[in-house]
Amino acid sequence: MDIKLYRQHFLSMGCPCEIGVFSADAKQAESAMAGAENEVHRLDKKYSHFREDSYITRLQITARQAGGVEVDTETASLLDYAATQFEISQGLFDITAGRLARLWHRRESLPSDTELSSALRLTGWAKLQWQSPRLSMPKGMQLELGGIVKEYAADRAALLLRRNGMHSAYVELGGDIHITGPRADGKPWNMGIRNPDQQRHQTGTAMAGIPVNCGGLATSGDYERASIIDGKRYGHIINPTTGWPVNSFQCVSVLAPSCLLAGSLSTLAMLMCHEDGLNMLDESGLTWLARGTNGVDHKG
Amino acid sequence: MKKLSRTASSLLVSSLSLPGFTELLAAESEANNFQYRYTLYDEEPLPQNVLAQGDPDRYRIKSHQFRFEQDLNERFTLTVEGIHESMSGSSPWYVFPDPDRGPLQVMSGATISETRNEIGLTLGTQNNGVTHAFRGGYSTENDYDAVSAAYTGEYEQQNKHTTLSWGVSYSDDRLSPTDAELFGRIPHAERNSISASFGLTRILNRNALIQSGVQITHQDGFLSDPYKEMWINGGVFFDKRPDQRTAFSWTTRFRQYFVGSNAALHADYRFYDDDWSVTAHTLDLAWHQPFGENFELAPSIRYHSQRAANFYQPAITDGQQPKYWSSDYRLATYGAMRYRLSGTWRAEIWSLALNADIYNSSESLALSGPLFDTPALVDFWRISLGWQISWQ
């Protein structure tokens, strides 16, 4: 039997997604990929802020009412994880920054001071009450799970591939990757990191290739979903304490045991000042690559 | 992979409560590893004031253990374990009821010297979130051979933070005591044991988990100790125990991580009860405290209390010969304290662990049970050095 690479492309979570598996059995490969794709769609449907009928949208409406709301186990674990992110980042990684994220979403002009201070007033993990499984939020606050859900979905999809016997496979959701194991020939996958100098949707050479045997690879950068205002680029990662997009790195990539961990650390580095970010990455014990705003690359 | 920073490991630990993440990360951790452990176990000599005759120097055991785990292919993992032990020293035979000095212990005269070798093979596989492990083992020494087989399974429920585990095992043992003809011991005997277990692990919150399990074991065959004897009304008779034993045990383990001190409390309790009327309670408390990124110290204290078997007596001086009897101190009423200090040093793919134990036992430490003077109750120290290397 020939072992072949089967690939599947689809759109979910607002980005192009891809699943690839090495398998000797086309049917098994397709059924495993379908299972993984369904898992990504399930999480997109459940946690999308852009769907009025999503679980997270409805949850937030109820959570703003008196007494709050009891959340399901999966969401409770994600909120617990977000609490840890907030704690270890000393408030820089804050999922309550939904108002700020929406304020900066595809803007053509800078927000006014009033708009900024109004969004900042409704930002801050300390302002919501989270006692698992009960969540209570102040009126007007919006959660931003963008820095968690896509990475989590890549990990979950990879888990399902693995459970279906796909030990040589990858899941890529718009640059967030999870690899279940080496290629069929035992060699690592060579995963490219997109060059931030290139325009959105423009294909071309990668900034770097990282050989990956297994685990999660995530990249945070200002080239995705950025707003160009008066010729200046403003990324989508917002410092929840100042209300302004961060400006320490063009992009940061981290390779970790899970895509969720990789994404948390790459975003955290983006949120820190240049030097603190590099120190944090250096001490992390993981493989990483960062491009400073001056175009200088650092890696470890 | 290098050791993770505190930031990275806090996030990683926090993510373990997400559905499936324990399985996902365990599958991708450093699966291949080799461990070696050397243990030196030394029992205190029997005090002269309770020695009737024989050699007071008790067991000293040197043990070499290794364990090798390797992924065979995408599906299967093979684990090979081996033990080589050498034992020397004398062992308690029976209690002599000295009318003036009270119960005195008669020890084996000549020093026993023997070795034991054991090999175990485990094949592990995962299917649809269920982990299966099949183990076969063989142990041999000059007077004892055992063949064993076991199966264990584990299933992590999706979204529920709960892991179920179950297992069955069987062991077929053959005894051929040394110097059987010279001492009149049974020349050949057999026993077998079968056991079943069921357990449940639940993550209580991101810093605590609880694990609870029950086990039932049934033994059948020659369950006496062919080297132990008993003084009965002026004569010395070989140990005679029932030929069946059914035991039940319930173990609960609790783990609590303290964020402020970056340390963990391990609290374990075990209840044991069998149809020989032996009942035991064991409580083990350990505090795992990391110092810096690479070093961890774990002091622990364990208390054990046991109620004697209904046929246990050190000696019978003026009574009828019962149906079953044993003067084996391991079936007596006693209590014991074990103090342990463990140090573990980890760097990248290596780790080194040193354990030191001190163990004291006495009748007065027991919670309850029929009390007798049991002169052979043992005190010992044990030191153990382990080394491990992991790779992907």
Side-chain angles (χ1 to χ4, degrees):
Chain A
M1 274 189 297
D2 275 353
I3 295 182
K4 281 188 198 156
L5 177 63
Y6 296 88
R7 291 155 84 166
Q8 189 161 307
H9 295 83
F10 57 99
L11 280 172
S12 191
M13 307 236 162
C15 58
C17 305
E18 186 176 331
I19 296 174
V21 303
F22 271 108
S23 177
D25 185 324
K27 268 193 178 164
Q28 265 185 19
E30 274 155 23
S31 130
M33 288 194 293
E37 183 185 335
N38 283 341
E39 179 67 359
V40 178
H41 292 315
R42 176 184 78 82
L43 290 167
D44 183 33
K45 202 173 163 200
K46 184 172 178 182
Y47 292 112
S48 171
H49 296 295
F50 302 104
R51 292 168 184 255
E52 282 184 5
D53 63 339
S54 77
Y55 174 78
I56 198 74
T57 306
R58 284 181 284 122
L59 179 86
Q60 293 188 77
I61 295 167
T62 337
R64 291 186 202 112
Q65 291 165 5
V69 65
E70 201 165 290
V71 310
D72 71 11
T73 320
E74 185 173 43
T75 310
S77 302
L78 287 168
L79 289 172
D80 276 343
Y81 185 78
T84 308
Q85 281 183 321
F86 180 79
E87 204 176 294
I88 59 113
S89 68
Q90 291 168 335
L92 281 177
F93 207 129
D94 193 336
I95 61 157
T96 66
R99 294 289 293 225
L100 285 169
R102 276 153 201 71
L103 182 64
W104 284 97
H105 184 67
R106 290 185 188 159
R107 283 194 78 87
E108 286 171 355
S109 62
L110 290 177
S112 69
D113 287 350
T114 326
E115 282 176 311
L116 263 180
S117 57
S118 147
L120 276 169
R121 259 201 311 279
L122 290 163
T123 300
W125 179 262
K127 292 171 191 160
L128 63 70
Q129 287 177 314
W130 169 236
Q131 186 69 46
S132 183
R134 188 156 287 277
L135 174 72
S136 181
M137 279 164 51
K139 284 195 172 55
M141 178 184 270
Q142 281 184 332
L143 298 181
E144 168 58 41
L145 291 173
I148 299 183
V149 168
K150 191 149 67 79
E151 292 84 347
Y152 170 64
D155 289 333
R156 282 287 310 173
L159 174 72
L160 297 191
L161 287 176
R162 181 178 274 281
R163 280 185 182 166
N164 284 309
M166 299 298 142
H167 295 266
S168 176
Y170 67 88
V171 176
E172 181 186 351
L173 312 180
D176 289 327
I177 299 164
H178 191 120
I179 285 170
T180 67
R183 296 169 59 92
D185 57 7
K187 289 182 181 157
W189 301 84
N190 194 29
M191 303 313 291
I193 295 167
R194 199 191 305 166
N195 196 326
D197 292 339
Q198 284 165 1
Q199 291 298 310
R200 209 170 166 203
H201 299 312
Q202 185 186 334
T203 52
T205 52
M207 165 183 160
I210 294 188
V212 186
N213 272 315
C214 73
L217 176 67
T219 302
S220 302
D222 70 0
Y223 51 90
E224 288 276 2
R225 288 178 275 157
S227 307
I228 311 282
I229 304 164
D230 299 335
K232 200 177 168 200
R233 181 190 294 268
Y234 293 90
H236 71 289
I237 299 170
I238 319 289
N239 182 322
T241 54
T242 63
W244 282 79
V246 293
N247 190 29
S248 305
F249 296 96
Q250 285 186 40
C251 67
V252 178
S253 297
V254 175
L255 177 64
S258 68
C259 187
L260 182 61
L261 177 61
S264 300
L265 293 174
S266 60
T267 306
L268 179 56
M270 292 288 293
L271 286 161
M272 290 172 139
C273 74
H274 185 80
E275 200 168 313
D276 287 355
L278 287 180
N279 283 339
M280 187 276 293
L281 291 168
D282 215 22
E283 287 166 6
S284 70
L286 298 164
T287 302
W288 57 273
L289 180 68
R291 176 166 289 183
T293 41
N294 55 4
V296 177
D297 288 348
H298 306 266
K299 61 181 177 181
Chain B
M1 193 168 73
K2 285 192 248 168
K3 189 168 167 57
L4 292 181
S5 66
R6 200 169 158 180
T7 304
S9 55
S10 303
L11 287 167
L12 192 68
V13 170
S14 179
S15 73
L16 290 180
S17 62
L18 287 161
F21 267 53
T22 316
E23 180 189 336
L24 181 77
L25 292 164
E28 289 171 7
S29 65
E30 294 143 339
N32 303 325
N33 69 66
F34 180 82
Q35 295 171 21
Y36 166 78
R37 181 171 282 276
Y38 174 75
T39 305
L40 182 62
Y41 165 94
D42 194 76
E43 296 181 346
E44 293 286 325
L46 195 79
Q48 283 295 336
N49 62 338
V50 293
L51 178 69
Q53 65 178 70
D55 186 345
D57 284 334
R58 300 182 68 168
Y59 266 181
R60 187 181 175 91
I61 303 174
K62 291 173 191 170
S63 155
H64 303 265
Q65 271 173 281
F66 77 86
R67 183 175 189 278
F68 175 65
E69 190 179 334
Q70 171 80 47
D71 282 344
L72 290 182
N73 54 31
E74 292 167 351
R75 253 203 180 155
F76 295 101
T77 303
L78 180 71
T79 307
V80 185
E81 292 159 286
I83 302 175
H84 172 76
E85 269 180 356
S86 55
M87 293 162 260
S88 63
S90 64
S91 71
W93 269 357
Y94 65 93
V95 175
F96 169 63
D98 189 297
D100 301 322
R101 295 167 63 200
L104 300 177
Q105 186 65 47
V106 176
M107 301 290 286
S108 61
T111 290
I112 300 160
S113 188
E114 58 181 303
T115 57
R116 183 174 84 87
N117 291 299
E118 183 180 333
I119 183 96
L121 293 176
T122 307
L123 192 65
T125 183
Q126 258 199 1
N127 196 9
N128 287 331
V130 183
T131 310
H132 306 276
F134 303 88
R135 186 183 192 277
Y138 176 63
S139 166
T140 179
E141 49 196 303
N142 59 356
D143 60 349
Y144 205 104
D145 290 293
V147 182
S148 62
Y151 161 77
T152 51
E154 202 174 275
Y155 170 66
E156 187 200 22
Q157 283 187 336
Q158 272 205 45
N159 302 336
K160 290 190 178 164
H161 302 181
T162 302
T163 306
L164 301 175
S165 56
W166 58 92
V168 284
S169 71
Y170 176 77
S171 172
D172 185 51
D173 305 5
R174 280 155 213 271
L175 296 74
S176 48
T178 45
D179 296 329
E181 209 175 320
L182 184 67
F183 289 94
R185 293 169 183 145
I186 189 167
H188 298 286
E190 287 180 22
R191 69 174 63 143
N192 57 57
S193 95
I194 185 158
S195 85
S197 63
F198 177 77
L200 197 119
T201 305
R202 183 149 179 90
I203 295 170
L204 301 175
N205 55 52
R206 65 198 160 106
N207 294 322
L209 73 82
I210 193 160
Q211 185 180 25
S212 196
V214 289
Q215 181 167 25
I216 289 177
T217 305
H218 180 75
Q219 286 180 290
D220 192 12
F222 183 79
L223 303 180
S224 305
D225 185 325
Y227 300 103
K228 298 263 184 273
E229 298 170 13
M230 183 156 160
W231 177 280
I232 302 176
N233 300 327
V236 175
F237 296 82
F238 279 112
D239 193 58
K240 190 175 179 225
R241 307 179 191 183
D243 56 9
Q244 298 220 3
R245 186 184 199 180
T246 303
F248 165 82
S249 69
W250 170 56
T251 308
T252 295
R253 297 189 177 93
F254 176 68
R255 304 281 178 267
Q256 172 76 48
Y257 173 71
F258 296 93
V259 181
S261 48
N262 188 28
L265 171 75
H266 293 197
D268 299 352
Y269 168 75
R270 180 173 184 262
F271 170 75
Y272 172 92
D273 185 60
D274 69 26
D275 57 0
W276 291 1
S277 292
V278 177
T279 303
H281 304 271
T282 310
L283 182 67
D284 197 340
L285 298 172
W287 182 261
H288 290 251
Q289 179 70 57
F291 292 94
E293 295 272 305
N294 302 93
F295 188 66
E296 182 182 288
L297 266 185
S300 82
I301 185 165
R302 192 179 76 168
Y303 170 69
H304 176 79
S305 173
Q306 174 176 298
R307 180 194 164 87
N310 50 14
F311 51 84
Y312 169 81
Q313 285 193 64
I316 296 174
T317 47
D318 52 357
Q320 270 200 330
Q321 184 161 329
K323 190 175 175 192
Y324 301 112
W325 59 83
S326 179
S327 71
D328 187 344
Y329 68 95
R330 291 168 296 187
L331 294 174
T333 295
Y334 70 93
M337 296 297 295
R338 190 200 68 193
Y339 308 93
R340 167 176 289 179
L341 186 64
S342 299
T344 308
W345 176 79
R346 292 185 195 91
E348 303 199 356
I349 57 168
W350 307 90
S351 84
L352 203 61
L354 183 71
N355 289 351
D357 291 359
I358 293 173
Y359 175 97
N360 296 308
S361 62
S362 94
E363 301 89 335
S364 60
L365 283 170
L367 288 173
S368 65
L371 274 182
F372 302 97
D373 272 337
T374 304
L377 282 178
V378 72
D379 293 339
F380 65 78
W381 59 262
R382 178 167 48 199
I383 196 148
S384 168
L385 183 68
W387 170 84
Q388 177 175 318
I389 177 170
S390 309
W391 67 95
Q392 280 198 328

